[in-house]
Amino acid sequence: MKVLKFGGTSVGSEEAIRQVAKIVQSQVDQVVLVTSAVGGVTDQLVKIGEVAASGDKVYISHFEVVKVQHEQLYYNLIENKPDDKFYKIIEEFEDICKGVFLLRELTTRSSDYILSIGERLSSLIISEFFRTEGIDITLFDSRQYIKTDDHFGHANVNFKLTTQKIKEAEASFTRVSLFPGFISSTEDNQTTTLGRGGSDYTAAILAGVLVADHFEVWTDVDGLMTADPRMVKRANFIEHVSYEEALELSHFGAKVIYPPSIQPALEKGIPMTIKNTFKPDQKGTLITKEWDDNKQLIRGISSIKDIALVTLSGSGMVGIPKFSYRFFRALSTAKVNVILITQASSEHSITVGIDAKDANPALKALKEEFTEQIASNHIDPILVEKNLSIIALVGNNMRDQVGVSGQMFNVLGKNGVSIKAIAQGSSERNISAVISKDDLSKALNVLHESFFLYATKRINLFIIGTGNVGKAFINQLVQQFTYLKKNHQLNIKIIGMANSKKMIFEKDGTPLSKWESTLANGAKFDKKDFLRHMYEMNLRNSIFIDITASDEIAALYPEILKKSISVVTPNKIAATGPQVDYLNLKSMSKKFGSRFLFETNVCAGLPVLSTLNDLVRSGDQVHQIEAVLSGTLVFLFNEYNGTTKFVDVIKKAKELGFTEPDPRLDLFGSDVKRKILILIRESGYTCEYDDIELNSFLPQSCMESTTIEDFYEKVEAEEAHFKKLYDDAQAKGSRLKVVAKYKNGHGSVGLEAVDATHPFYNLEGKDNIVLFYTNRYNDHPMVIKGAGAGAEVTASGIFADVLRLSQSDI
């Protein structure tokens, strides 16, 4: 024998009920069928009762809507007008509503009777339709068999009497025996209801009493999912869970089943399956007593969207008995259900999580209970915190597994999700955390990505700056997008993008094939609006990329890092400001779980800073640095041969994208000063920008230029100066290089003529080179050499930082 339960959506239309008939006809075993009210009808009935009790005659029109809806459904299925049994229920419905209207009072008893109408009408229509389809079916009135106390609205089942009644009815079972769900009655036959999830409970009671071979819950989803698919697009279908796991998942928000509905099946060890009425060939989720120890550590991540925390605290509680008893008694009396409990070991506080709608009744009840203690300052005023959610990791295999909670909290912390309260049962099947409701979607997604490793990890980028380097970076992302997704499970999306004029935001990612035209039609750029949009989207794994040379954008980093959003940038301004600001950025990135990566600040795409960081972290100490840090200047002095004018070589470098938009930034030496300053600071030393000595190779007239064109004119006028520098070096068999140095606390930048024995002599094109002299690399320095200028190279360095973050927990 099988027990099949069909929910409201499964019987919500003519087509759905026809589908139910096909499913029932396909069953080989004898079937006990339980059905809910037509989808949406119970809510309509609640409204009718409330409107009638308010004395508003408009309840009549609502009544007519429900009546006509069922008449039409009856006629469409059976192709005939409803019979007397149908209209008897309608007359009872009308009479009770009229009584509520006249008395201006809706008692819980009257409410239960009104709510019972939905299941009574749907089960009658279904049974009549099944008969026309040739199905041998008998309709049983559940009120005669499911017996309860008189706790109207959420009656408690008298299992001894109910078992007796169902066993007596079993002798009358036919091929299909239909019981309306949700409804029941007292011993003196007053209609009651079983509360939320009542139809599931009816089916579970029948399955338990009849010791059914299988219990199936048919709904509008394929089964249990690893997370709420409305929030986690990559949520996966769960094929098999244990009863205990299903109880935990359903308690914390999985709406497919209701916890009490599992209990009767659990007690008898009856296998249970969640199936989709509209996809009957789908396997569904099997729920059994046993589970596979070798499968997924975490079965699912469940959540409750809207809860409140209520805290009783105060030094007067310590060592005093009965505070907990009185606390929970007051909540119980106020009919407030407790979802989560956590208590400090110091006995100084008790915190519970409750449904948000119960916050005010809970506060009122607790204030009344502890009025005297609050007035005498023995305990603090009752604290209620709202706009919170619960997330819960669920899985039998979490038991005795080291590191699960650590991984959970680390992932949440890295994404800026603050935890308000934590609870874990001794069964170790569940770890629950209370977080801000605004962070729920982000938290669910990062946890899902972390614990279900086969899922692609989504990275959300927010970019300001779409010049040469920005374009090159986006083009590289386009080229690598498919490869990264397939081979590294990284789905990198550009969510926000801006230049100095326009900005756009696309929650699902900007179409990379037409980003330029999309940006051109975007909103006017405003840095405050850009940040506001980024913060409000509150996406996990977010990275802010600054590809500008703007001090205004660099000034935004502290605020961004505080939001637990990592920063990647080739912009040197932030890392070369006052030492205290540099250290503050480093400190904030640690404090808020974000990262501040600026590999491209020095030598573009070369792994200079990452290598230096590895040396320092491993305990080595840098005591001397020699470097050629400007690919632009290397190119200029390699290209200049004393015949082509120096100004023409500068212009050529600018056309090739080897210089900053304003070449003076490269030639004045300030860029190289910033780079050696960063190397000094990353080596662990204190240094300010003005501490570094700059010996410029430019004549004073060039240094005093007011515009780029003015600069070009003055460089051209000083050609003899540059020719002499070149000729003097050639005469000594040397080459000109702008060299940055640090030793014994002194940093400098200046033009040097290096001979053929020096590592800098053979630098070609736009190559950079860095020599690190350390405790380990003393006689022979560590050498890093390669291309250090150009949009493509810089973009690849930015890309490397993004991937470095993407492949960590960010």
Side-chain angles (χ1 to χ4, degrees):
M1 178 187 294
K2 276 188 178 181
V3 174
L4 276 60
K5 179 263 174 179
F6 290 88
T9 53
S10 297
V11 295
S13 65
E14 173 193 349
E15 295 74 17
I17 292 174
R18 291 186 186 278
Q19 177 65 20
V20 171
K22 289 179 183 177
I23 292 169
V24 173
Q25 284 177 314
S26 69
Q27 300 297 316
V28 175
D29 301 318
Q30 186 180 25
V31 171
V32 173
L33 183 63
V34 177
T35 56
S36 297
V38 171
V41 166
T42 301
D43 289 339
Q44 291 174 267
L45 296 173
V46 169
K47 185 175 183 179
I48 289 169
E50 291 173 348
V51 172
S54 71
D56 189 341
K57 284 189 175 182
V58 77
Y59 87 87
I60 297 172
S61 61
H62 294 308
F63 164 82
E64 287 295 329
V65 168
V66 172
K67 174 186 173 184
V68 171
Q69 178 183 0
H70 287 86
E71 284 178 330
Q72 190 65 48
L73 184 61
Y74 190 109
Y75 185 82
N76 290 344
L77 286 167
I78 302 163
E79 298 180 358
N80 206 342
K81 291 182 179 181
D83 60 14
D84 292 341
K85 289 178 288 187
F86 177 93
Y87 283 110
K88 186 176 185 300
I89 297 173
I90 294 294
E91 287 171 9
E92 292 176 10
F93 179 24
E94 186 174 21
D95 289 344
I96 190 71
C97 289
K98 187 180 295 183
V100 169
F101 171 76
L102 293 172
L103 292 172
R104 303 292 196 272
E105 181 184 12
L106 180 65
T107 64
T108 53
R109 176 174 168 179
S110 299
S111 177
D112 270 5
Y113 199 93
I114 291 173
L115 296 183
S116 75
I117 299 298
E119 272 72 16
R120 292 171 63 194
L121 286 174
S122 68
S123 59
L124 175 65
I125 293 170
I126 290 167
S127 66
E128 292 298 315
F129 170 64
F130 276 27
R131 288 192 184 93
T132 64
E133 294 293 297
I135 299 173
D136 182 15
I137 187 169
T138 301
L139 175 61
F140 293 84
D141 186 341
S142 297
R143 294 176 298 175
Q144 296 179 24
Y145 307 98
I146 309 293
K147 292 297 178 178
T148 69
D149 61 14
D150 61 358
H151 186 187
F152 297 100
H154 198 306
N156 299 299
V157 176
N158 179 335
F159 277 97
K160 182 177 180 181
L161 185 56
T162 294
T163 299
Q164 176 187 328
K165 295 285 185 181
I166 293 172
K167 287 290 188 182
E168 290 172 359
E170 188 176 7
S172 305
F173 283 4
T174 51
R175 169 80 173 81
V176 178
S177 302
L178 173 57
F179 288 78
F182 181 57
I183 62 175
S184 49
S185 72
T186 62
E187 289 187 46
D188 59 351
N189 297 319
Q190 299 298 322
T191 298
T192 57
T193 62
L194 299 176
R196 176 177 155 244
S199 291
D200 283 359
Y201 197 23
T202 301
I205 291 168
L206 287 163
V209 171
L210 298 168
V211 194
D213 298 310
H214 207 96
F215 172 28
E216 295 179 353
V217 174
W218 291 79
T219 181
D220 57 354
V221 296
D222 294 343
L224 292 172
M225 304 289 285
T226 51
D228 186 339
R230 294 167 300 181
M231 293 190 183
V232 181
K233 291 185 177 180
R234 296 302 301 270
N236 305 302
F237 168 69
I238 305 175
E239 290 188 6
H240 186 194
V241 295
S242 69
Y243 283 120
E244 290 82 2
E245 289 170 328
L247 281 168
E248 294 282 4
L249 286 169
S250 58
H251 178 71
F252 283 97
K255 304 301 183 184
V256 178
I257 47 177
Y258 180 56
S261 69
I262 303 176
Q263 198 63 37
L266 169 61
E267 291 173 356
K268 296 292 177 64
I270 300 168
M272 180 177 176
T273 304
I274 312 297
K275 300 205 68 175
N276 191 335
T277 304
F278 309 102
K279 298 178 184 177
D281 294 332
Q282 291 280 1
K283 193 173 183 180
T285 298
L286 176 64
I287 304 172
T288 63
K289 186 175 182 180
E290 300 80 19
W291 67 93
D292 188 340
D293 287 315
N294 298 318
K295 285 194 175 180
Q296 195 73 38
L297 176 69
I298 303 299
R299 275 293 188 268
I301 306 170
S302 200
S303 60
I304 301 176
K305 187 174 184 179
D306 203 2
I307 72 134
L309 282 182
V310 179
T311 299
L312 177 72
S313 64
S315 56
M317 294 171 56
V318 179
I320 307 299
K322 292 192 177 180
F323 267 102
S324 297
Y325 164 73
R326 292 172 60 194
F327 180 77
F328 290 108
R329 182 185 64 185
L331 293 177
S332 176
T333 302
K335 295 184 170 55
V336 174
N337 182 51
V338 174
I339 300 169
L340 171 147
I341 304 169
T342 181
Q343 180 174 14
S345 58
S346 64
E347 303 179 66
H348 185 269
S349 67
I350 304 171
T351 298
V352 297
I354 61 174
D355 194 302
K357 65 178 175 56
D358 292 331
N360 290 335
L363 179 60
K364 181 181 178 182
L366 292 170
K367 279 184 175 180
E368 291 174 356
E369 177 67 33
F370 295 103
T371 299
E372 182 180 334
Q373 287 78 12
I374 294 173
S376 62
N377 294 320
H378 281 84
I379 64 171
D380 302 326
I382 306 299
L383 175 64
V384 175
E385 299 172 88
K386 298 182 180 180
N387 296 315
L388 301 172
S389 297
I390 291 179
I391 48 173
L393 298 184
V394 175
N396 277 327
N397 294 334
M398 287 163 54
R399 288 183 298 177
D400 302 320
Q401 178 66 41
V402 175
V404 177
S405 58
Q407 181 178 344
M408 176 184 183
F409 302 140
N410 179 58
V411 169
L412 293 177
K414 291 286 188 181
N415 280 274
V417 179
S418 178
I419 297 174
K420 301 287 294 182
I422 302 165
Q424 180 173 13
S426 59
S427 69
E428 297 184 78
R429 294 189 185 96
N430 173 304
I431 304 173
S432 307
V434 178
I435 62 173
S436 168
K437 186 163 68 172
D438 292 338
D439 288 332
L440 179 59
S441 177
K442 177 165 68 172
L444 285 171
N445 278 279
V446 295
L447 287 174
H448 197 271
E449 287 172 346
S450 180
F451 284 99
F452 297 91
L453 298 178
Y454 49 83
T456 299
K457 183 177 184 179
R458 175 165 158 170
I459 306 298
N460 300 296
L461 305 184
F462 296 86
I463 301 172
I464 296 182
T466 58
N468 290 336
V469 176
K471 287 179 181 177
F473 172 74
I474 296 169
N475 288 338
Q476 289 178 16
L477 178 57
V478 171
Q479 294 166 12
Q480 293 294 102
F481 183 83
T482 302
Y483 172 82
L484 290 172
K485 196 168 185 179
K486 180 180 178 181
N487 294 282
H488 295 281
Q489 291 75 50
L490 292 176
N491 183 17
I492 302 179
K493 299 276 192 179
I494 298 177
I495 307 303
M497 182 187 299
N499 55 30
S500 60
K501 297 178 180 179
K502 298 286 187 177
M503 64 180 185
I504 53 172
F505 289 88
E506 294 288 344
K507 190 168 185 179
D508 293 323
T510 302
L512 295 181
S513 61
K514 53 181 180 179
W515 70 266
E516 290 184 87
S517 60
T518 305
L519 180 59
N521 293 312
K524 183 180 178 181
F525 172 69
D526 180 275
K527 62 182 181 181
K528 290 184 179 179
D529 279 348
F530 189 92
L531 294 191
R532 180 176 57 80
H533 280 295
M534 181 169 69
Y535 298 155
E536 287 178 353
M537 295 177 93
N538 196 25
L539 299 175
R540 83 277 192 192
N541 303 335
S542 291
I543 303 174
F544 174 79
I545 307 177
D546 171 20
I547 316 180
T548 74
S550 166
D551 53 356
E552 289 187 2
I553 302 302
L556 303 175
Y557 299 172
E559 181 183 346
I560 294 168
L561 292 169
K562 281 182 181 179
K563 296 291 185 179
S564 299
I565 297 173
S566 293
V567 174
V568 169
T569 184
N571 188 341
K572 305 174 190 68
I573 292 174
T576 57
Q579 176 94 15
V580 65
D581 293 345
Y582 161 81
L583 293 175
N584 184 48
L585 288 171
K586 292 275 191 174
S587 174
M588 265 191 287
S589 67
K590 291 179 181 178
K591 180 177 179 180
F592 295 99
S594 47
R595 301 279 299 280
F596 176 39
L597 298 186
F598 44 96
E599 181 72 73
T600 48
N601 276 198
V602 181
C603 301
L606 292 182
V608 174
L609 294 184
S610 55
T611 303
L612 176 57
N613 293 155
D614 289 342
L615 286 173
V616 174
R617 278 195 296 265
S618 66
D620 204 353
Q621 183 176 5
V622 177
H623 50 77
Q624 182 178 343
I625 303 170
E626 290 184 22
V628 173
L629 298 173
S630 172
T632 301
L633 295 177
V634 171
F635 177 82
L636 291 179
F637 285 108
N638 280 346
E639 285 286 306
Y640 183 60
N641 56 17
T643 56
T644 303
K645 289 183 179 180
F646 194 65
V647 69
D648 292 330
V649 177
I650 296 173
K651 290 178 179 179
K652 179 180 178 181
K654 186 175 187 297
E655 289 172 5
L656 292 172
F658 294 164
T659 73
E660 296 290 342
D662 184 345
R664 291 176 295 175
L665 296 174
D666 296 293
L667 278 90
F668 282 9
S670 58
D671 186 61
V672 178
K673 275 187 67 173
R674 290 184 184 278
K675 290 176 181 177
I676 189 64
L677 175 62
I678 291 169
L679 290 180
I680 293 168
R681 287 177 171 178
E682 290 292 288
S683 297
Y685 299 105
T686 297
C687 187
E688 299 291 355
Y689 180 80
D690 291 336
D691 294 339
I692 297 171
E693 179 184 356
L694 174 61
N695 300 304
S696 177
F697 63 87
L698 291 173
Q700 187 61 32
S701 64
C702 298
M703 299 291 288
E704 294 172 352
S705 61
T706 55
T707 65
I708 296 176
E709 287 304 319
D710 180 46
F711 175 68
Y712 286 156
E713 290 175 6
K714 288 177 176 175
V715 169
E716 187 170 10
E718 297 282 0
E719 176 60 26
H721 168 78
F722 300 110
K723 179 76 164 55
K724 185 176 186 308
L725 291 175
Y726 175 79
D727 289 342
D728 288 350
Q730 286 294 107
K732 294 187 290 187
S734 300
R735 292 180 178 177
L736 295 172
K737 308 295 176 187
V738 175
V739 180
K741 293 181 178 180
Y742 177 76
K743 187 176 181 180
N744 298 326
H746 178 255
S748 64
V749 175
L751 186 67
E752 296 185 12
V754 298
D755 62 31
T757 63
H758 199 286
F760 296 169
Y761 183 84
N762 289 314
L763 288 178
E764 300 294 337
K766 54 184 184 295
D767 280 355
N768 282 184
I769 187 169
V770 181
L771 310 182
F772 289 120
Y773 293 86
T774 74
N775 291 340
R776 296 173 192 159
Y777 298 90
N778 194 4
D779 297 330
H780 301 285
M782 173 179 280
V783 180
I784 304 171
K785 177 183 175 183
E792 291 294 332
V793 174
T794 305
S796 69
I798 296 170
F799 210 140
D801 273 347
V802 169
L803 292 181
R804 193 171 289 114
L805 287 173
S806 302
Q807 291 166 339
S808 69
D809 290 324
I810 296 190

